[in-house]
Each structure stands twice: as structure tokens, then as C-alpha cells.
């Protein structure tokens, strides 16, 4: 992997897998040792010790683990395994669940730690192309069906899914959706917000929607929500990006208090998306200057309520889109972003670590050109819809 350093950023190219062959003598020793092992040993292997071992496997290994036999597949749902898994330190880097423009029927998952793509068979409940990911929290992804106006919750790793109850009242306009984990880590909440101020909250501990409410009079209505941007969660408060009036609307999911912050967007910027890094509200967008377009990162200054630029994509990469109309899809969570940049003849997939300020190019595949939609999520085997 080659690394180029500058004052603010590091550019990383994806490394090629090693082609070094295993030594013949070593492989022969391993094969002979396998043949000499008594199969009865594995039949009597203590189950509690097996759970202790597999709880420390990387998340990606469970895709193969659950295919070994029915017993091992059922083991992942046992209470004892859930306890062992909860004791293990979870990996810090999120994964990305994406739909490409070539495949709207099955999602692909990108492991940002091992830098690998996975294409598991999707759960039947979310295989409908009208159901798209709109939010995530606690290892779960919230899907919304725009055809029948219904929500679905899914663990993309275990493929366990649940359809949320239908609602008697729903927003007439398009909605923005956020999701949080409850303070005691038991259950989750889903919040949808309509442009006219109507909203609804689902609580998984009650398996029901609260009565639809209206935002208080302190919020400027009607809102023009930035539907391209996902909501971000900081300390169980959800933040939604607005395009008119410019700013952010937030809802504390514990107290139910709504707040509006008037924040002008950076001049000459477009395709803005909210992000979060170490408890700070960040903004990602395209900044255009004459014929040059570049990805910029801003941080919200709480004292002045202004966006301060903290980084931008390396100039060498920006020059690839010089003089072209550029579109961008941004997925972000816990300080890591995935940016899908596209123009008429150029497509680029990039990840950006907001803590280390590293930019890395990602290979999407031969057929897929860009990310259509998706969300970042923290993989968790024990998260239940």
C-alpha cells in the first residue's frame, strides 16, 4: 500500500493481495496432521469452550461459520453465546451497506477494517427494490418501503428481520428518518419527520408507534429537509439537515425536546450531508470554484454556529473531475465516510477517516459504477430487530 503524505491528509491506494505460495513441506505437514487427528475429539468438544472461541472470531468469519451445520447456525442465537459475545471488545470501524445502480435487489457490505466486499444473500423481507436503507443504530438497519409506507428493521449480518406495525397517520410529504439505541441498551427507537412538522416515534420495547405529534411552534415550518442526508445521532439526540431555512433541527429522544439551529451553508457548496466524529457535528459537501469541484469537510463551531473547513480531498484527485458536473452520495458513521463520486465519464469510490484524515480509494467492482444509496452500520451478531 503506497502512502503519500501532505500537511493535512494521507492518500492511500488499495494494496494488492500477496501471491506468495505456501511451501510444499509445510502444506504436507499440515495435511498429515489433519489426517491423524481423531474425529471423536471434535464430537466431544465442550460447547461452552466452542462459544468462547467463536465469540472472538472477526465478524466476516461468521458468514462461513453459519454454513457449517444447523447446530453451529443455531449456536449464534443462544443466550450463552450472546453473553460471551457481549464481553468481547467490538471492532471500532463501521461497515457500509450499499445498493449500487446495477443491483437494486441485493445489498453489498463493505468491511472497512479488512477492506473487503461481501455479497450475502439478502433476507427475503428486504429484497424488494422499493425498500431502501434510511437509518441505522446498534447493529440494525432501518428500511423504508416507499410503495406501502412501512418500515422494516434488519440485522444484515444474521439476516434476521422484522416488519414494524403500520401507522394510522402518516406524513403526506417525503420524510427523513433517524434511529437511536435506548439509554439502557435495551431496544431502539425510530423517528420519522415530515416537512410539514408531523412526526412519529416507534419504541421497540413497546412494539408500537407513539401517537403522531407536531413540532413545537419554535420550529420554522414548513421545513425543507435535506432528504439526501441521513440523520446523525449524538448522545441520543438526532440531528436533521435542512435546506430551508438553512440549519439543523434536532430531537432529544429521551426528553422529546425539539430545537432548531440556524446555520448558513458554506458558500458555493452543494450535495451537503451531515456526519459525526467524536461527538462533533460535521458537514460533507462539494465545493465548486469556477470549473474545479472538490470534496470538503466542515466542522460546526458551537459558539458561532458557523461551519469551519477542516479538510478537503487531495487536489490530485479533484483534478480528475475538472470541468465536469459531479454528483456525490455520502454515507457516514462514527468518523468514517464512504463517498461515491460520479460524472458522465468518471466514477470514484473513496473512504475518508475523519480522525486520521486519511483518504483511500476503494474498488467497487467491474460492473457497478457508483453507490445508489446505503448506510453505515456497526456490525453486531447479537442485535435483535
Amino acid at each position: 500500500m503506497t502512502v503519500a503524505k501532505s500537511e493535512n491528509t494521507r492518500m492511500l491506494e488499495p494494496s494488492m493481495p500477496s501471491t506468495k505460495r505456501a511451501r510444499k513441506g509445510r502444506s504436507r505437514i499440515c495435511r498429515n496432521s489433519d489426517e491423524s487427528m481423531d474425529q471423536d475429539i471434535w464430537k466431544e468438544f465442550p460447547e461452552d469452550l466452542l462459544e468462547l472461541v467463536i465469540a472472538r472470531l472477526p465478524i466476516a468469519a461468521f458468514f462461513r461459520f453459519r454454513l457449517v451445520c444447523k447446530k453451529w447456525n443455531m449456536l449464534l442465537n443462544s443466550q450463552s453465546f450472546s453473553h460471551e459475545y457481549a464481553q468481547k471488545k467490538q471492532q471500532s470501524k463501521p461497515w457500509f451497506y450499499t445498493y449500487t445502480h446495477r443491483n437494486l435487489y441485493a445489498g453489498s457490505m463493505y468491511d472497512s477494517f479488512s477492506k473487503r466486499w461481501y455479497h450475502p444473500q439478502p433476507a427475503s423481507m428486504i429484497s424488494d427494490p422499493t425498500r431502501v436503507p434510511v437509518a441505522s443504530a446498534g447493529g440494525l438497519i432501518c428500511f423504508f418501503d416507499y410503495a406501502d409506507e412501512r418500515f422494516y428493521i434488519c440485522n444484515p449480518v444474521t439476516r434476521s428481520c422484522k416488519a414494524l406495525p403500520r401507522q394510522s397517520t402518516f406524513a403526506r410529504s417525503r420524510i427523513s428518518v433517524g434511529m437511536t439505541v435506548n439509554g439502557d441498551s435495551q431496544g431502539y427507537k425510530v423517528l420519522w419527520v415530515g416537512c410539514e412538522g408531523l412526526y412519529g416515534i416507534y419504541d421497540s420495547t413497546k412494539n408500537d408507534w407513539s401517537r403522531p405529534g407536531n413540532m413545537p411552534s419554535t420550529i420554522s415550518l414548513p421545513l425543507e429537509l435535506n432528504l439526501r442526508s441521513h440523520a446523525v445521532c449524538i448522545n441520543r439526540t438526532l440531528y436533521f439537515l435542512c435546506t430551508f431555512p438553512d440549519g439543523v433541527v434536532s430531537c432529544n429522544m429521551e426528553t422529546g425536546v425539539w430545537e432548531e439551529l440556524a446555520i448558513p451553508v458554506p458558500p458555493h457548496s452543494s450535495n451537503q450531508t451531515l456526519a459525526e466524529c467524536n461527538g462533533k457535528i460535521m458537514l460533507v459537501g462539494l465545493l465548486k470554484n469556477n470549473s474545479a469541484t472538490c470534496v470538503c469537510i466542515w466542522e460546526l463551531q458551537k459558539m458561532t454556529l458557523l461551519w469551519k473547513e477542516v479538510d478537503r480531498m487531495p487536489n490530485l484527485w479533484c483534478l480528475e473531475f475538472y470541468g465536469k458536473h459531479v454528483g456525490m452520495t455520502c454515507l457516514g458513521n462514527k468518523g468514517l465516510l464512504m463517498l461515491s463520486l460520479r460524472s458522465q465519464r468518471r466514477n470514484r469510490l473513496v473512504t475518508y477517516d475523519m480522525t486520521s484524515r486519511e483518504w483511500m480509494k476503494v474498488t467497487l467492482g467491474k460492473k457497478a459504477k457508483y453507490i445508489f444509496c446505503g448506510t453505515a452500520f456497526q456490525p453486531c451478531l447479537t442485535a435483535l430487530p
Side-chain angles (χ1 to χ4, degrees), residues 11-67:
M11 296 181 293
L12 293 90
E13 300 285 351
S15 59
M16 298 300 293
S18 174
T19 57
K20 185 178 180 180
R21 295 183 179 179
R23 297 172 59 182
K24 294 182 179 180
R26 184 182 302 171
S27 61
R28 183 166 57 251
I29 293 174
C30 294
R31 183 168 59 252
N32 292 339
S33 62
D34 290 342
E35 294 174 353
S36 62
M37 294 186 72
D38 189 352
Q39 297 297 324
D40 292 336
I41 295 178
W42 300 106
K43 293 180 180 179
E44 302 300 329
F45 196 79
E47 190 167 298
D48 57 341
L49 184 57
L50 178 62
E51 292 178 350
L52 188 65
V53 172
I54 64 175
R56 283 153 178 80
L57 292 175
I59 288 288
F62 289 93
F63 291 120
R64 299 186 300 272
F65 175 87
R66 62 187 306 129
L67 298 177

Side-chain angles (χ1 to χ4, degrees), residues 59 90-98 109-116 118 136-139 141 156-157 276 331-338 351-355 375-380:
I59 288 288
Q90 303 297 314
Q91 67 179 55
S92 57
K93 287 192 173 183
W95 284 27
F96 294 93
Y97 188 91
T98 67
M109 291 186 284
Y110 180 72
D111 178 359
S112 58
F113 181 77
S114 64
K115 299 174 178 59
R116 292 186 59 186
Y118 296 95
S136 67
I141 296 179
V157 178
E276 179 270 340
L331 315 177
N333 192 13
K334 294 189 179 299
L336 188 68
L337 305 175
M338 174 174 279
T351 58
Y352 174 66
D353 191 317
M354 288 188 279
T355 301
T375 186
F377 72 101
Q378 203 71 32
C380 180

